């Protein structure tokens, strides 16, 4: 019982074996599981009662008896304080404790500091393999001196807002998501929901594709890889959310905008699944008609070089020195070869079509396939890489999704808007990082 200074005199506490518990008390093992009843009585009428039973004893792991054993693992010892003097004092106190208790378990101290203490802004970490080195680093921290095993820093008062980033094609790999299916119930449930939503628009099973089962189509097909990546991205976002990490904004690159719109609340899962399936199926009609390439130059420098070629276009503004071009395959190969001869590490991307260019103009019919969908206002801000800024998601009409496929991806410009508006943490919710660089 908290805040109990003096038990009530209306009860004879000397008779019987009941007394208020106001602090820690030894609870010996008796050969039977320990059980405790916990009651909560609130002045407004709360009346809750829970019976707890001790967890089974965990098996004792064998540990090296010698704390100086060089085979012991490096352990991170984490300390923090509200200000620098408080951090120095923490280090001094811990050094004194370890010196006075040579039998203390450093691994247990490290675990407690990492998981059972509030982490204040002024922080320090010591990675040490043995007790003597840890003590030296703690004393150095207490005196404000450097040490090879010591790292110090101050977390910003405002770390900035968090953005979920959803890439387009290119993050796929054989076996992606399979291990996480077995280890994360949240991921598995979300992937099952995505598979069910996709099944209305495709003739293959998502789990068969991911497990590479006999008869399942491969990820080299655009109408397979894009829906599969959509499902992976959505499910990875749900995993982040299950750990308490929620987006303050979302951004998508090319088809990644569909997953972004769903996570933001602008599209239902069925609507998003329909969009990604019909979009990728439409792209199959462009197969063999063009290509795309990555150029490590600014969009302006790339556009200057493109002036020498016909039917080549800037398809994506990825970064200050990262641009994607799209268009005729022969012209594309000539452009890449010319860049490479000039020492520019350009490369052709493994796709057989030229999206985000006039080549995609023939796909306007997808607006008719999506015409009965009415977009709604999102609960999370949606930053459009089609327009380059924050977008009212009621504007995510069929024409928007056609233009998403037809026009350049303004990824760099959109990131600049996000950064200028206080978004400083970006999480690429993807099977493999392709936009992080």
């Amino acid at each position: 019982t908290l805040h109990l200074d003096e038990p009530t005199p209306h009860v004879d506490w000397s008779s019987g074996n009941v007394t208020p518990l106001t602090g820690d008390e030894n609870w010996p093992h008796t050969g039977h599981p320990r059980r405790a009843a916990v009651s909560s009585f609130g002045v407004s009428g709360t009346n809750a009662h829970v019976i707890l039973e001790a967890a089974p004893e965990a098996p004792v792991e064998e540990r090296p008896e010698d704390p100086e054993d060089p085979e012991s693992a490096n352990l991170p010892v984490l300390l923090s304080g509200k200000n620098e003097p408080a951090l120095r004092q923490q280090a001094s106190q811990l050094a004194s404790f370890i010196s006075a208790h040579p039998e203390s378990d450093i691994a247990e101290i490290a675990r407690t500091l990492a998981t059972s203490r509030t982490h204040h802004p002024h922080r320090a970490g010591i990675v040490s393999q043995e007790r003597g080195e840890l003590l030296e680093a703690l004393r150095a921290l207490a005196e404000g001196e450097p040490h090879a095993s010591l790292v110090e820093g101050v977390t910003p008062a405002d770390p900035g807002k968090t953005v979920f980033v959803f890439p387009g094609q290119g993050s796929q790999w054989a076996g992606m998501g399979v291990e996480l299916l077995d280890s994360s119930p949240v991921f598995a449930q979300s992937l099952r929901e995505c598979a069910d939503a996709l099944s209305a628009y495709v003739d293959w099973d998502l789990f068969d594709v991911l497990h590479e089962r006999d008869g399942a189509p491969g990820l080299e097909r655009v109408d397979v890889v894009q829906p599969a990546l959509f499902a992976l991205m959505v499910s990875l976002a749900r995993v982040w959310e299950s750990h308490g990490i929620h987006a303050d904004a979302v951004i998508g690159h090319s088809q990644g905008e569909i997953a972004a719109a769903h996570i933001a609340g602008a599209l239902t899962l069925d609507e998003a699944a329909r969009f990604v399936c019909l979009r990728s199926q439409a792209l199959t009609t462009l197969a063999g008609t063009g290509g795309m390439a990555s150029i490590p130059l600014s969009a302006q420098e790339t556009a200057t070089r493109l002036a020498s070629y016909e039917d080549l276009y800037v398809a994506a503004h990825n970064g200050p020195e990262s641009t994607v071009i799209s268009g005729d395959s022969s012209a594309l190969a000539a452009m890449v070869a010319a860049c490479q001869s000039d020492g520019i590490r350009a490369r052709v991307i493994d796709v057989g079509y030229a999206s985000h260019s006039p080549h995609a103009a023939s796909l306007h019919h997808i607006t008719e396939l999506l015409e009965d969908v009415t977009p709604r206002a999102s609960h999370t801000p949606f930053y459009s890489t089609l327009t380059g800024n924050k977008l009212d998601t009621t504007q995510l009409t069929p024409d928007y999704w056609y233009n998403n496929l037809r026009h350049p991806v303004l990824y760099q410009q959109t990131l600049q808007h996000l950064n200028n508006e206080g978004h400083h943490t970006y999480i690429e919710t993807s099977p493999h990082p392709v936009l992080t660089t």
Side-chain angles (χ1 to χ4, degrees):
T1 301
L2 297 175
H3 316 301
L4 179 62
D5 297 322
E6 185 176 345
T8 175
H10 299 291
V11 173
D12 182 4
W13 298 106
S14 62
S15 64
N17 294 317
V18 177
T19 184
L21 187 65
T22 59
D24 293 343
E25 185 172 312
N26 289 330
W27 191 352
H29 289 278
T30 62
H32 299 285
R34 290 180 289 183
R35 298 184 182 91
V38 182
S39 297
S40 175
F41 306 104
V43 68
S44 62
T46 300
N47 188 346
H49 187 77
V50 176
I51 298 175
L52 305 175
E53 180 175 304
E57 290 292 330
V60 178
E61 297 182 9
E62 293 187 5
R63 302 176 55 84
E65 293 183 3
D66 180 7
E68 307 289 337
D69 185 354
E71 297 301 318
S72 298
N74 284 321
L75 296 171
V77 176
L78 309 178
L79 300 97
S80 71
K82 293 183 178 180
N83 49 48
E84 185 175 329
L87 176 61
R88 310 277 179 227
Q89 181 65 21
Q90 284 286 315
S92 177
Q93 290 175 347
L94 182 57
S96 298
F97 175 84
I98 293 175
S99 296
H101 299 83
E103 78 289 353
S104 57
D105 185 342
I106 300 302
E108 182 62 20
I109 290 173
R111 184 199 66 80
T112 301
L113 290 172
T115 64
S116 303
R117 294 291 184 272
T118 299
H119 297 287
H120 296 294
H122 289 259
R123 302 184 183 185
I126 299 170
V127 179
S128 173
Q129 195 173 49
E130 50 93 14
R131 187 179 300 263
E133 182 182 28
L134 173 59
L135 281 171
E136 289 179 4
L138 284 170
R139 288 164 181 154
L141 176 58
E143 297 298 326
E145 300 292 336
H147 190 277
S149 301
L150 170 65
V151 177
E152 290 186 67
V154 181
T155 60
D158 179 11
K161 292 177 282 189
T162 299
V163 183
F164 282 1
V165 183
F166 300 89
Q169 197 168 331
S171 63
Q172 68 273 12
W173 52 278
M176 62 180 181
V178 173
E179 184 177 345
L180 196 59
L181 268 172
D182 294 332
S183 61
S184 171
V186 171
F187 181 78
Q189 178 182 343
S190 177
L191 207 63
R192 168 51 61 194
E193 292 170 353
C194 289
D196 291 343
L198 294 174
S199 66
Y201 308 102
V202 299
D203 58 1
W204 43 265
D205 180 78
L206 176 63
F207 289 89
D208 289 345
V209 169
L210 296 179
H211 286 94
E212 300 178 278
R213 292 172 180 146
D214 290 344
L219 293 175
E220 70 279 357
R221 278 176 44 180
V222 65
D223 58 327
V224 174
V225 67
Q226 290 196 357
L229 284 174
F230 163 81
L232 265 290
M233 291 188 288
V234 167
S235 300
L236 288 169
R238 297 308 183 201
V239 172
W240 283 105
E241 290 173 345
S242 73
H243 288 290
I245 308 298
H246 296 273
D248 295 302
V250 297
I251 177 177
H253 191 289
S254 190
Q255 72 129 358
E257 285 207 300
I258 302 174
H262 170 59
I263 292 300
L267 298 176
T268 67
L269 181 57
D270 179 72
E271 290 168 344
R274 181 181 177 187
F275 279 25
V276 74
C277 290
L278 297 182
R279 180 187 190 276
S280 61
Q281 290 162 11
L283 279 171
T284 63
T285 65
L286 296 181
T289 63
M292 305 178 78
S294 175
I295 311 295
L297 297 172
S298 70
Q300 183 175 359
E301 291 173 303
T302 301
T304 300
R305 284 179 169 265
L306 289 182
S308 302
Y309 303 88
E310 292 186 5
D311 198 20
L312 287 184
Y313 312 90
V314 171
H317 302 245
N318 282 348
E321 295 183 351
S322 178
T323 304
V324 173
I325 62 173
S326 183
D328 176 76
S329 298
S330 298
L332 195 77
M335 165 80 170
V336 169
C339 286
Q340 291 174 346
S341 68
D342 291 339
I344 300 168
R345 300 180 64 182
R347 63 179 180 85
V348 175
I349 300 172
D350 187 21
V351 296
Y353 50 84
S355 58
H356 304 293
S357 79
H359 281 230
S362 62
L363 304 182
H364 192 271
H365 66 281
I366 67 171
T367 59
E368 299 172 8
L369 300 176
L370 305 174
E371 62 183 0
D372 60 339
V373 174
T374 302
R376 59 193 59 79
S378 63
H379 52 65
T380 301
F382 177 94
Y383 282 72
S384 166
T385 52
L386 175 62
T387 66
N389 48 41
K390 186 178 177 181
L391 184 76
D392 176 358
T393 54
T394 60
Q395 298 178 31
L396 296 179
T397 62
D399 280 337
Y400 178 91
W401 295 110
Y402 163 69
N403 289 325
N404 161 279
L405 188 57
R406 160 69 178 82
H407 293 287
V409 179
L410 304 181
Y411 182 68
Q412 179 189 355
Q413 295 89 327
T414 314
L415 284 181
Q416 289 172 338
H417 276 285
L418 282 161
N419 194 60
N420 291 340
E421 294 177 10
H423 300 85
H424 299 152
T425 300
Y426 296 82
I427 299 175
E428 184 172 354
T429 47
S430 164
H432 182 78
V434 292
L435 295 179
T436 301
T437 54

